[in-house]
Amino acid sequence: MTDTIETFEFQTEARQLLDLMIHSVYSNKDIFLRELISNSSDALDKRRFEALKQPELLAENTELRIFIEVDSEARSLSILDNGIGMTRDEVKDLIGTIAKSGTKEFINKIKQSKEEGVNADLIGQFGVGFYSSFIAADRVSLVTRKAGEETATRWESAGDGTYTLEEAERDEVGTTVTLHL
């Protein structure tokens, strides 16, 4: 494992989107937990599906699961799963790119809905659910290891326009998202 931490900057549009999401999109502030559990559930389904083609990705008697851990002393909340996980490139593409399916379009729809006084429920439509974490968290870290891979990746951001990526350790396949409150 190397100690190299790379810092990346979100695109300008992505920073605007993140700010909009944190302050405007989600009217129900506890939505972040639903979004993170939903992401974990999808990861479990993906691992189950991939195991149909590659049975070695899901050992017999493996119980797919999602855990929620609270550390009141550290003021953190973690959602852990043993789903499919992600490679470093997938983390960079999927987590490092906010609203990959259309950042500009998303920003325009949010602005339009606010101008029209409509409560836009666009959650899940643009791949932004993970970022609802910043409603509650000062900093979010994610550690993930893809099924069939030996190395893990850590992604971390304070929602300030940058994020870091580094190699990490994770004993089992899956993802842990930790919200530092």
Side-chain angles (χ1 to χ4, degrees):
M1 187 167 99
T2 64
D3 288 339
T4 305
I5 299 174
E6 294 181 90
T7 301
F8 298 91
E9 197 167 310
F10 291 117
Q11 300 168 359
T12 302
E13 288 176 350
R15 276 187 275 163
Q16 291 171 347
L17 173 62
L18 187 55
D19 186 60
L20 264 174
M21 272 192 12
I22 293 168
H23 299 96
S24 305
V25 173
Y26 296 105
S27 57
N28 186 355
K29 299 299 182 192
D30 60 355
I31 197 74
F32 72 91
L33 190 55
R34 182 187 82 180
E35 291 298 318
L36 295 175
I37 291 170
S38 177
N39 290 349
S40 288
S41 178
D42 290 347
L44 298 180
D45 290 342
K46 287 176 185 174
R47 185 170 180 193
R48 197 177 290 115
F49 178 75
E50 290 297 320
L52 294 173
K53 296 182 277 183
Q54 298 175 282
E56 67 276 8
L57 295 181
L58 188 59
E60 198 170 311
N61 297 321
T62 299
E63 180 185 352
L64 296 176
R65 61 198 183 285
I66 300 168
F67 289 106
I68 299 174
E69 292 181 353
V70 176
D71 184 336
S72 54
E73 192 172 302
R75 297 187 41 84
S76 67
L77 173 73
S78 297
I79 294 80
L80 304 88
D81 68 60
N82 63 342
I84 193 70
M86 292 178 277
T87 65
R88 180 185 181 90
D89 288 342
E90 287 171 332
V91 171
K92 192 172 179 184
D93 289 345
L94 300 173
I95 304 298
T97 306
I98 301 173
K100 188 174 176 83
S101 59
T103 304
K104 192 98 167 153
E105 181 183 352
F106 183 80
I107 290 171
N108 289 338
K109 284 194 183 238
I110 293 300
K111 286 180 179 176
Q112 179 183 355
S113 69
K114 289 189 77 142
E115 288 169 8
E116 296 171 3
V118 176
N119 182 9
D121 188 12
L122 300 172
I123 299 167
Q125 294 185 31
F126 292 86
V128 295
F130 171 82
Y131 291 94
S132 65
S133 303
F134 289 103
I135 292 171
D138 295 326
R139 182 172 46 95
V140 177
S141 60
L142 173 144
V143 177
T144 186
R145 184 174 134 209
K146 177 89 174 206
E149 300 281 324
E150 294 299 317
T151 59
T153 300
R154 174 185 305 280
W155 177 99
E156 192 163 317
S157 179
D160 60 0
T162 63
Y163 65 93
T164 59
L165 279 180
E166 66 180 303
E167 194 172 301
E169 290 187 25
R170 182 176 163 94
D171 292 336
E172 72 173 341
V173 170
T175 303
T176 301
V177 177
T178 301
L179 285 67
H180 304 273
L181 309 171

